[in-house]
Amino acid sequence: MQDYDEVTAFLGHWGHFQQSVFFLLCASVLPNGFGSFSLIFLTDIPRHHCLVPDINLTEDWHQAIIPMEMVNGKLELSRCRRYRLDVVKNLSAQGYIPGQDVNLTNLEQEGCVDGWSYSKDIYKSTIVSEFDLVCSEEWKQPFTSTVYFMGVLVGSFFSGQLSDRLIPESPRWLLSQGRVEEAENIVKYAAKKNKVEAPQVIFDDYDSPANKTQANERHSIFSLLRTANIRNTSIILCLVWFTLSTGYFGLSLNTSRLHADPFISCFISAAVEVPAYITSWLALQYFPRRLAVISILLLGGVSLYFIQVVPHGLSYLSITLEMVGKFGITTGTALMFVYTAELFPTVLRNTATGMCTTVSRVGSCIAPFLLKLSQYFKYLPYITLGTLAVVSAFTTVFLPESFGRPLPQTIEQMHKRERMKCPFITRKGHSKHVKIFESRL
């Protein structure tokens, strides 16, 4: 079978056709950021406490009716409790002074039966203040983000069909399906757009009986589990994609808590992605895929681990480490789009990429609830994300290398990809067994 890259080399690498497809894809991605990251502001929780009705209380009791609580080492007004209003009203009417005549620690408390009062220093309103998604109803706040990402998951099935109509079909995939004439028409159209002359017959040996037999084979998501080689690759990639998506959206949705001004926080978090994507582009140009992914996952994971050892007075160091973590995870996500496509043959490439991105959407659905682990231990979300990143880096060691190698067009070519060899078996007497083992992968 002809090598696809060699056959289509006459098109060039960056002609008008490739540019138009690239910018159409970019235009389709731009609106996604507005929808996803508007959640940072729409679901943010303003400062709040129990609403105190307009009743006749002294100024001292107005100031003291909300109890103080210790939150992350700081005294703050309680968000969900107040002293019983009828008791406070009687004490105020009798002229007692809180803290002098009355020991507040022994005073009976109650929930926010009259609702909440929300700070409007930053937001006029969010869905939290509109629907009182606090205290016993606070679980609904991350659930709204999860519902959004579930919608993204469902919508991806339909948008995939739509995309086949905002760009042209992949000639490489058409060839794998035996649709040679359609593939030639698209390549000739690309040649016309690039103002180069195409051969009269481009894919002259793709009509052979062997290729037609291969094209008649039907592949599904179960094909990714058929052999040990493909199954192991698929499982590892799913873990890495899950980790990256959970980390990316978890850290992104957490940006409103980085700084007193959530808009500054969001700007910092978005600005970090610019060098991350530049780094991923450079890594794709010059470094092996496996080494690049492992290094960047370790960078992100270790940075998140170190946040818990930063002293309380060095908040900017914590922010820096978190942004380094996001830098690593964003870079890793960009790398994995290319790495995943390079590992699988043409007949499975779309299926494998679709499966990995579906698993990643599951991670994005979980991310809002992952942040709530900080209620039990402040650094638990960072420890969880760091652990996932380090484990994913370890499993990536067992993926094949694809840097500088042609894309596999058949499952057989994928089986021939070289994986990491066991460094402990070096004696000549074991070479026969090693070859047998590698041939079975």
Side-chain angles (χ1 to χ4, degrees), residues 221-247:
I221 192 171
F222 297 105
S223 301
L224 300 174
L225 306 175
R226 187 174 299 167
T227 65
N229 187 3
I230 300 179
R231 182 169 58 249
N232 293 339
T233 298
S234 301
I235 292 173
I236 292 172
L237 288 175
C238 283
L239 173 62
V240 176
W241 276 91
F242 176 84
T243 297
L244 292 172
S245 181
T246 306

Side-chain angles (χ1 to χ4, degrees), residues 178-336:
R179 297 156 63 178
V180 180
E181 185 177 352
E182 295 178 58
E184 285 205 353
N185 290 336
I186 291 177
V187 173
K188 289 179 179 178
Y189 172 75
K192 183 179 179 181
K193 295 277 286 185
N194 288 355
K195 297 181 180 181
V196 296
E197 186 175 349
Q200 191 67 29
V201 178
I202 302 175
F203 306 109
D204 55 356
D205 71 341
Y206 278 84
D207 282 323
S208 64
N211 288 331
K212 289 183 177 179
T213 301
Q214 181 182 346
N216 290 330
E217 295 180 8
R218 290 292 175 259
H219 298 280
S220 66
I221 192 171
F222 297 105
S223 301
L224 300 174
L225 306 175
R226 187 174 299 167
T227 65
N229 187 3
I230 300 179
R231 182 169 58 249
N232 293 339
T233 298
S234 301
I235 292 173
I236 292 172
L237 288 175
C238 283
L239 173 62
V240 176
W241 276 91
F242 176 84
T243 297
L244 292 172
S245 181
T246 306
Y248 178 79
F249 285 102
L251 294 176
S252 296
L253 295 175
N254 191 50
T255 53
S256 62
R257 300 172 179 84
L258 296 180
H259 191 274
D261 189 335
F263 302 102
I264 293 178
S265 299
C266 192
F267 174 80
I268 295 172
S269 180
V272 165
E273 297 193 23
V274 176
Y277 289 123
I278 294 175
T279 301
S280 66
W281 179 77
L282 293 173
L284 289 171
Q285 294 292 319
Y286 302 109
F287 295 99
R289 305 287 186 255
R290 192 165 51 196
L291 174 63
V293 172
I294 292 172
S295 302
I296 213 70
L297 282 172
L298 288 176
L299 174 65
V302 172
S303 299
L304 295 177
Y305 266 131
F306 276 124
I307 292 177
Q308 60 185 312
V309 301
V310 175
H312 290 290
L314 300 177
S315 59
Y316 286 99
L317 180 57
S318 298
I319 295 175
T320 301
L321 288 173
E322 184 166 344
M323 290 300 98
V324 171
K326 188 182 180 185
F327 168 86
I329 288 175
T330 303
T331 306
T333 302
L335 292 174
M336 287 306 299

Side-chain angles (χ1 to χ4, degrees), residues 2-18:
Q2 297 170 293
D3 182 75
Y4 178 86
D5 295 323
E6 293 179 1
V7 173
T8 59
F10 65 90
L11 289 175
H13 294 291
W14 190 238
H16 183 68
F17 175 78
Q18 291 94 329

Side-chain angles (χ1 to χ4, degrees), residues 9-145:
F10 65 90
L11 289 175
H13 294 291
W14 190 238
H16 183 68
F17 175 78
Q18 291 94 329
Q19 292 171 8
S20 61
V21 171
F22 173 78
F23 287 111
L24 280 172
L25 289 172
C26 289
S28 68
V29 170
L30 281 174
N32 295 343
F34 294 106
S36 299
F37 297 111
S38 63
L39 294 173
I40 297 174
F41 308 107
L42 293 176
T43 64
D44 201 8
I45 304 177
R47 290 186 293 109
H48 58 277
H49 56 76
C50 291
L51 178 66
V52 180
D54 189 13
I55 59 175
N56 188 20
L57 293 178
T58 64
E59 184 63 27
D60 289 335
W61 280 108
H62 263 296
Q63 297 294 328
I65 193 171
I66 306 298
M68 301 297 291
E69 292 180 350
M70 187 69 69
V71 179
N72 294 326
K74 297 180 180 179
L75 276 176
E76 296 182 358
L77 293 175
S78 175
R79 298 182 174 187
C80 301
R81 306 290 294 175
R82 73 181 184 189
Y83 296 116
R84 278 191 56 176
L85 189 60
D86 57 343
V87 174
V88 170
K89 185 177 179 181
N90 290 333
L91 292 173
S92 177
Q94 296 176 35
Y96 289 107
I97 299 176
Q100 294 183 11
D101 304 323
V102 179
N103 187 355
L104 295 177
T105 58
N106 298 326
L107 209 59
E108 189 177 354
Q109 298 182 11
E110 62 182 359
C112 299
V113 294
D114 295 307
W116 287 263
S117 175
Y118 296 93
S119 170
K120 294 187 178 181
D121 293 342
I122 298 175
Y123 307 105
K124 289 186 176 180
S125 68
T126 67
I127 62 169
V128 173
S129 61
E130 287 291 318
F131 301 100
D132 288 335
L133 305 185
V134 293
C135 299
S136 63
E137 300 295 310
E138 189 173 351
W139 66 272
K140 294 179 181 179
Q141 184 261 350
F143 184 67
T144 55
S145 300

